[in-house]
Amino acid sequence: MPTAWVDWAAGWVEWQAEGGAADRLLNIAREQKITVWRIRQRDIQLHACCRARRYGGLRRAARRCGMRMRVVRRHGLPFFLFRHRHRTGLLAGIALSLLLIWQLSGRIWITQVQGGTDELAGQVMQVLRPLGIRPGAPLPREGTEQIRLEAMEQLPQVSFLSIVFSGCRAQVIVRPRETPPPIDTLPVHLIAAADGVVRRVVVGSGTPLVSPGDAVRAGDLLISGIREEPHATRLLTARGEVWAETRRTYRFTVPLRERQLVPEGETIYLPQLYVFGLTIPLYGSGALPPDYVVDRREAELTARGRQLPVGIRCVRLRQPVERTVLRTEEQAGQMLRRQWSEQCAALQREKITVLHTRKQLDTQEQAVCLTVECACLENIAAPAQVLKNFGKNS
Amino acid sequence: MKRGKAGLRRFEKQAALPAGFLQPAARIELCERQQAILEGCSALLCCGEEEITLKTARGAVRIRGAGLLLQVLAETEAVVTGEILSVEFV
């Protein structure tokens, strides 16, 4: 069964034969191992297709059968190239693109670092670049084990590193090394970091001095690092959590009239073309004004969500202009609510639960203020050294 | 020679071997009434829009239908497409 692509690459012809014995011609073709397809016989005409290379043999056979053959249509790459033989630019473009694909398919197009922070990714790439893992470098033939080991040697802050190739994309998977917490050797008390009413006490080590329902002030001793034993006094590191209900007050202010530096002035674009790790600036070398605001924009070319090694990065510099911003009370209120929700998110990150709040919005002449009084549940235990010069005296 | 072929056929049957295991045999595969794939055909006897006849080792196979097209004719294979009405050994 002829496949369409192979036929197209080899070139095929649609032909028509008239008179004589069509069946005999087809049988001769079969005997000569000439594959013929789309055979249709109408009256004395026989229409069919065959490979361009085999047409000559078929024509000779047709003459023996008393038939006259003629080509109706030509298809495929050889005929396409022949038709466009005078368009040298097109042919050169095809040849160049094939050459580029052949050349670039053996090189790294993109490098991506997964896991860890952006800073760590930068450090990893800085180490891997001289080892041959960079855009434009040839794909390593002897595997990546040696590169991986050398990189691990140079990166003590990384506990795991793996280089995986997916086509021309090098994916570097890293895991940052987690340093274990320092072993406490000094005796430590746990004291209250804020005023509050104790709700829950969890003791890891040490002597608890407060119980739920007790009111404490900032600096009060909560869990002692001194343990009295029948024949001795032991100094130890107090560990534990003392959850207490505390009061916090936040005040946010948004002015109704404000002078701001807004980047709305003259704009300078500094486009850069990047090709396989090479950055080509597309602007002059004049000195840049220092007070401009930098706005970096990257227009990356992607295919199926994957970054391509070619694109344009554009750095935009904008001149700041002093402007007076006027706000309505409603706009100011919205800004205050946003500030409070950001504060709530910050408290949540610190593992502080807001139990209940009382908000008060005051409108003054020039500003709108939001005062929030809230009751929070938080761990108020903070370490404090038992003896300041314990290490030196002992 | 004929006796030899008949003997092989008989042995195939007795040994419960699939037909065409010991000697070449034509195979016909039909895909509904739109396409017929013939393997083991040795010559084209007739080719028209309403009838296509192909020679096989054990006689000729006649395909009747409407708008028949000999899609491929290779050394031992043929693919017939169109509205197939009947396939018979003649």
Side-chain angles (χ1 to χ4, degrees), chain B:
Chain B
M1 189 72 178
K2 267 192 174 179
R3 285 182 67 185
K5 278 186 181 176
L8 278 174
R9 211 171 298 135
R10 206 164 44 246
F11 179 73
E12 261 180 9
K13 212 171 179 181
Q14 282 168 358
L17 292 169
F21 189 81
L22 295 173
Q23 56 174 344
R27 286 172 191 276
I28 303 166
E29 192 181 317
L30 277 172
C31 180
E32 289 203 335
R33 53 174 59 206
Q34 295 155 8
Q35 192 185 55
I37 301 167
L38 287 92
E39 286 176 23
C41 53
S42 55
L44 177 76
L45 300 178
C46 168
C47 179
E49 283 195 325
E50 290 173 355
E51 183 186 317
I52 291 173
T53 312
L54 292 146
K55 191 182 168 191
T56 66
R58 294 188 63 194
V61 177
R62 183 190 290 151
I63 298 170
R64 285 181 198 270
L68 294 180
L69 171 72
L70 194 55
Q71 189 74 39
V72 179
L73 180 67
E75 198 186 351
T76 57
E77 279 181 4
V79 179
V80 178
T81 57
E83 182 80 11
I84 297 167
L85 296 176
S86 68
V87 179
E88 56 186 330
F89 277 92
V90 287

Side-chain angles (χ1 to χ4, degrees), chain A residues 17-29 31-32 44 46 57-69:
Chain A
E18 277 180 7
D23 300 350
R24 197 176 157 214
L25 172 66
L26 292 172
N27 281 321
I28 291 170
E31 277 163 20
Q32 289 182 358
I44 55 162
L46 177 72
L58 212 56
R59 194 171 180 152
R60 279 191 292 278
R63 219 172 288 146
R64 286 211 303 274
C65 301
M67 296 188 87
R68 212 172 58 223
M69 276 178 80

Side-chain angles (χ1 to χ4, degrees), chain A residues 13 65 69 120 161 221 233 235 240 249 280 289-290 294 314 317 328 347-348:
Chain A
V13 289
C65 301
M69 276 178 80
L120 182 68
L161 189 143
L221 194 59
T233 301
L235 296 174
T249 305
I280 305 159
V294 177
C314 190
L317 298 178
T328 60
L347 288 172
Q348 213 168 5

